[in-house]
mmCIF file of all heavy atoms in Angstrom:
data_model
loop_
_atom_site.group_PDB
_atom_site.id
_atom_site.type_symbol
_atom_site.label_atom_id
_atom_site.label_comp_id
_atom_site.label_asym_id
_atom_site.label_seq_id
_atom_site.Cartn_x
_atom_site.Cartn_y
_atom_site.Cartn_z
ATOM 1 N N ALA V 49 -43.311 -33.853 32.318
ATOM 2 C CA ALA V 49 -43.343 -32.391 32.410
ATOM 3 C C ALA V 49 -42.173 -31.874 33.240
ATOM 4 O O ALA V 49 -41.741 -32.517 34.203
ATOM 5 C CB ALA V 49 -44.653 -31.933 33.036
ATOM 6 N N ARG V 50 -41.677 -30.712 32.867
ATOM 7 C CA ARG V 50 -40.642 -30.061 33.669
ATOM 8 C C ARG V 50 -41.324 -29.141 34.673
ATOM 9 O O ARG V 50 -42.048 -28.209 34.299
ATOM 10 C CB ARG V 50 -39.675 -29.259 32.805
ATOM 11 C CG ARG V 50 -38.508 -28.727 33.646
ATOM 12 C CD ARG V 50 -37.394 -28.147 32.843
ATOM 13 N NE ARG V 50 -36.224 -27.944 33.702
ATOM 14 C CZ ARG V 50 -35.165 -27.223 33.372
ATOM 15 N NH1 ARG V 50 -35.102 -26.646 32.183
ATOM 16 N NH2 ARG V 50 -34.162 -27.081 34.210
ATOM 17 N N VAL V 51 -41.111 -29.414 35.954
ATOM 18 C CA VAL V 51 -41.804 -28.726 37.041
ATOM 19 C C VAL V 51 -40.780 -28.051 37.943
ATOM 20 O O VAL V 51 -39.767 -28.654 38.303
ATOM 21 C CB VAL V 51 -42.651 -29.716 37.871
ATOM 22 C CG1 VAL V 51 -43.361 -28.996 39.004
ATOM 23 C CG2 VAL V 51 -43.656 -30.445 36.977
ATOM 24 N N VAL V 52 -41.052 -26.799 38.315
ATOM 25 C CA VAL V 52 -40.164 -26.047 39.201
ATOM 26 C C VAL V 52 -40.971 -25.546 40.384
ATOM 27 O O VAL V 52 -42.021 -24.920 40.196
ATOM 28 C CB VAL V 52 -39.516 -24.854 38.473
ATOM 29 C CG1 VAL V 52 -38.542 -24.131 39.399
ATOM 30 C CG2 VAL V 52 -38.816 -25.306 37.193
ATOM 31 N N GLU V 53 -40.490 -25.825 41.606
ATOM 32 C CA GLU V 53 -41.114 -25.254 42.789
ATOM 33 C C GLU V 53 -40.272 -24.102 43.299
ATOM 34 O O GLU V 53 -39.090 -24.255 43.576
ATOM 35 C CB GLU V 53 -41.284 -26.289 43.903
ATOM 36 C CG GLU V 53 -41.990 -25.677 45.112
ATOM 37 C CD GLU V 53 -42.137 -26.580 46.313
ATOM 38 O OE1 GLU V 53 -41.654 -27.725 46.272
ATOM 39 O OE2 GLU V 53 -42.729 -26.124 47.310
ATOM 40 N N GLY V 59 -39.059 -29.155 50.672
ATOM 41 C CA GLY V 59 -39.491 -29.871 49.476
ATOM 42 C C GLY V 59 -40.871 -30.484 49.517
ATOM 43 O O GLY V 59 -41.226 -31.250 48.620
ATOM 44 N N ALA V 61 -44.148 -29.631 48.920
ATOM 45 C CA ALA V 61 -45.099 -29.544 47.814
ATOM 46 C C ALA V 61 -44.586 -30.244 46.561
ATOM 47 O O ALA V 61 -45.280 -31.053 45.944
ATOM 48 C CB ALA V 61 -45.433 -28.086 47.517
ATOM 49 N N GLY V 62 -43.350 -29.930 46.169
ATOM 50 C CA GLY V 62 -42.801 -30.544 44.962
ATOM 51 C C GLY V 62 -42.695 -32.057 45.081
ATOM 52 O O GLY V 62 -42.999 -32.783 44.127
ATOM 53 N N LEU V 63 -42.260 -32.541 46.231
ATOM 54 C CA LEU V 63 -42.112 -33.987 46.408
ATOM 55 C C LEU V 63 -43.469 -34.675 46.500
ATOM 56 O O LEU V 63 -43.628 -35.813 46.033
ATOM 57 C CB LEU V 63 -41.258 -34.283 47.639
ATOM 58 C CG LEU V 63 -39.805 -33.796 47.546
ATOM 59 C CD1 LEU V 63 -39.050 -34.095 48.836
ATOM 60 C CD2 LEU V 63 -39.078 -34.403 46.351
ATOM 61 N N ALA V 64 -44.472 -33.997 47.078
ATOM 62 C CA ALA V 64 -45.824 -34.567 47.094
ATOM 63 C C ALA V 64 -46.363 -34.686 45.674
ATOM 64 O O ALA V 64 -47.006 -35.686 45.315
ATOM 65 C CB ALA V 64 -46.747 -33.710 47.948
ATOM 66 N N LEU V 65 -46.099 -33.691 44.832
ATOM 67 C CA LEU V 65 -46.506 -33.768 43.429
ATOM 68 C C LEU V 65 -45.773 -34.897 42.715
ATOM 69 O O LEU V 65 -46.372 -35.663 41.952
ATOM 70 C CB LEU V 65 -46.237 -32.436 42.741
ATOM 71 C CG LEU V 65 -46.481 -32.394 41.236
ATOM 72 C CD1 LEU V 65 -47.943 -32.694 40.918
ATOM 73 C CD2 LEU V 65 -46.062 -31.045 40.665
ATOM 74 N N ALA V 66 -44.466 -35.016 42.964
ATOM 75 C CA ALA V 66 -43.686 -36.068 42.307
ATOM 76 C C ALA V 66 -44.123 -37.446 42.764
ATOM 77 O O ALA V 66 -44.024 -38.415 42.004
ATOM 78 C CB ALA V 66 -42.199 -35.872 42.605
ATOM 79 N N ILE V 72 -42.067 -36.835 36.541
ATOM 80 C CA ILE V 72 -41.852 -35.424 36.236
ATOM 81 C C ILE V 72 -40.374 -35.086 36.420
ATOM 82 O O ILE V 72 -39.647 -35.752 37.155
ATOM 83 C CB ILE V 72 -42.720 -34.496 37.111
ATOM 84 C CG1 ILE V 72 -42.382 -34.656 38.597
ATOM 85 C CG2 ILE V 72 -44.190 -34.724 36.849
ATOM 86 C CD1 ILE V 72 -43.077 -33.641 39.494
ATOM 87 N N ASP V 73 -39.936 -34.035 35.742
ATOM 88 C CA ASP V 73 -38.572 -33.511 35.868
ATOM 89 C C ASP V 73 -38.657 -32.362 36.865
ATOM 90 O O ASP V 73 -39.081 -31.256 36.523
ATOM 91 C CB ASP V 73 -38.090 -33.041 34.494
ATOM 92 C CG ASP V 73 -36.707 -32.411 34.529
ATOM 93 O OD1 ASP V 73 -36.125 -32.262 35.628
ATOM 94 O OD2 ASP V 73 -36.205 -32.048 33.456
ATOM 95 N N LEU V 74 -38.266 -32.605 38.118
ATOM 96 C CA LEU V 74 -38.545 -31.686 39.212
ATOM 97 C C LEU V 74 -37.303 -30.929 39.664
ATOM 98 O O LEU V 74 -36.259 -31.526 39.941
ATOM 99 C CB LEU V 74 -39.122 -32.460 40.406
ATOM 100 C CG LEU V 74 -39.410 -31.666 41.684
ATOM 101 C CD1 LEU V 74 -40.486 -30.603 41.438
ATOM 102 C CD2 LEU V 74 -39.847 -32.608 42.799
ATOM 103 N N THR V 75 -37.439 -29.591 39.761
ATOM 104 C CA THR V 75 -36.406 -28.741 40.338
ATOM 105 C C THR V 75 -36.996 -28.005 41.531
ATOM 106 O O THR V 75 -38.074 -27.396 41.428
ATOM 107 C CB THR V 75 -35.887 -27.719 39.320
ATOM 108 O OG1 THR V 75 -35.336 -28.400 38.183
ATOM 109 C CG2 THR V 75 -34.810 -26.836 39.936
ATOM 110 N N LEU V 76 -36.300 -28.060 42.661
ATOM 111 C CA LEU V 76 -36.723 -27.403 43.894
ATOM 112 C C LEU V 76 -35.799 -26.225 44.153
ATOM 113 O O LEU V 76 -34.585 -26.398 44.243
ATOM 114 C CB LEU V 76 -36.663 -28.382 45.066
ATOM 115 C CG LEU V 76 -37.443 -29.694 44.897
ATOM 116 C CD1 LEU V 76 -37.069 -30.682 45.987
ATOM 117 C CD2 LEU V 76 -38.943 -29.424 44.909
ATOM 118 N N ALA V 91 -35.678 -35.819 48.983
ATOM 119 C CA ALA V 91 -35.975 -36.469 47.709
ATOM 120 C C ALA V 91 -35.310 -37.833 47.638
ATOM 121 O O ALA V 91 -35.944 -38.839 47.275
ATOM 122 C CB ALA V 91 -35.511 -35.585 46.555
ATOM 123 N N ILE V 96 -37.240 -40.306 45.125
ATOM 124 C CA ILE V 96 -37.777 -39.377 44.129
ATOM 125 C C ILE V 96 -36.601 -38.651 43.475
ATOM 126 O O ILE V 96 -35.736 -38.108 44.166
ATOM 127 C CB ILE V 96 -38.747 -38.371 44.763
ATOM 128 C CG1 ILE V 96 -40.007 -39.097 45.251
ATOM 129 C CG2 ILE V 96 -39.107 -37.257 43.780
ATOM 130 C CD1 ILE V 96 -40.948 -38.216 46.043
ATOM 131 N N VAL V 97 -36.586 -38.631 42.160
ATOM 132 C CA VAL V 97 -35.532 -37.931 41.434
ATOM 133 C C VAL V 97 -35.895 -36.456 41.361
ATOM 134 O O VAL V 97 -36.944 -36.083 40.823
ATOM 135 C CB VAL V 97 -35.360 -38.503 40.014
ATOM 136 C CG1 VAL V 97 -34.311 -37.701 39.251
ATOM 137 C CG2 VAL V 97 -34.975 -39.970 40.086
ATOM 138 N N ALA V 98 -35.051 -35.612 41.938
ATOM 139 C CA ALA V 98 -35.275 -34.173 41.922
ATOM 140 C C ALA V 98 -33.933 -33.474 42.040
ATOM 141 O O ALA V 98 -32.952 -34.056 42.517
ATOM 142 C CB ALA V 98 -36.201 -33.749 43.062
ATOM 143 N N ARG V 99 -33.907 -32.225 41.629
ATOM 144 C CA ARG V 99 -32.696 -31.413 41.725
ATOM 145 C C ARG V 99 -33.024 -30.191 42.569
ATOM 146 O O ARG V 99 -33.958 -29.446 42.267
ATOM 147 C CB ARG V 99 -32.246 -30.978 40.331
ATOM 148 C CG ARG V 99 -30.936 -30.211 40.281
ATOM 149 C CD ARG V 99 -30.529 -29.964 38.831
ATOM 150 N NE ARG V 99 -31.441 -29.058 38.147
ATOM 151 C CZ ARG V 99 -31.193 -27.769 37.911
ATOM 152 N NH1 ARG V 99 -30.053 -27.236 38.309
ATOM 153 N NH2 ARG V 99 -32.062 -27.013 37.268
ATOM 154 N N ALA V 100 -32.282 -29.989 43.665
ATOM 155 C CA ALA V 100 -32.497 -28.834 44.543
ATOM 156 C C ALA V 100 -31.416 -27.794 44.285
ATOM 157 O O ALA V 100 -30.234 -28.126 44.196
ATOM 158 C CB ALA V 100 -32.500 -29.266 46.000
ATOM 159 N N LEU V 126 -44.866 -24.076 40.597
ATOM 160 C CA LEU V 126 -45.750 -24.021 41.757
ATOM 161 C C LEU V 126 -45.072 -23.256 42.863
ATOM 162 O O LEU V 126 -43.842 -23.293 42.986
ATOM 163 C CB LEU V 126 -46.165 -25.410 42.237
ATOM 164 C CG LEU V 126 -45.109 -26.366 42.796
ATOM 165 C CD1 LEU V 126 -45.751 -27.369 43.763
ATOM 166 C CD2 LEU V 126 -44.429 -27.130 41.653
#
Side-chain angles (χ1 to χ4, degrees):
R50 187 169 192 193
V51 180
V52 183
E53 182 184 2
L63 296 178
L65 174 61
I72 62 173
D73 177 356
L74 177 63
T75 300
L76 305 168
I96 293 173
V97 177
R99 184 174 67 102
L126 65 154

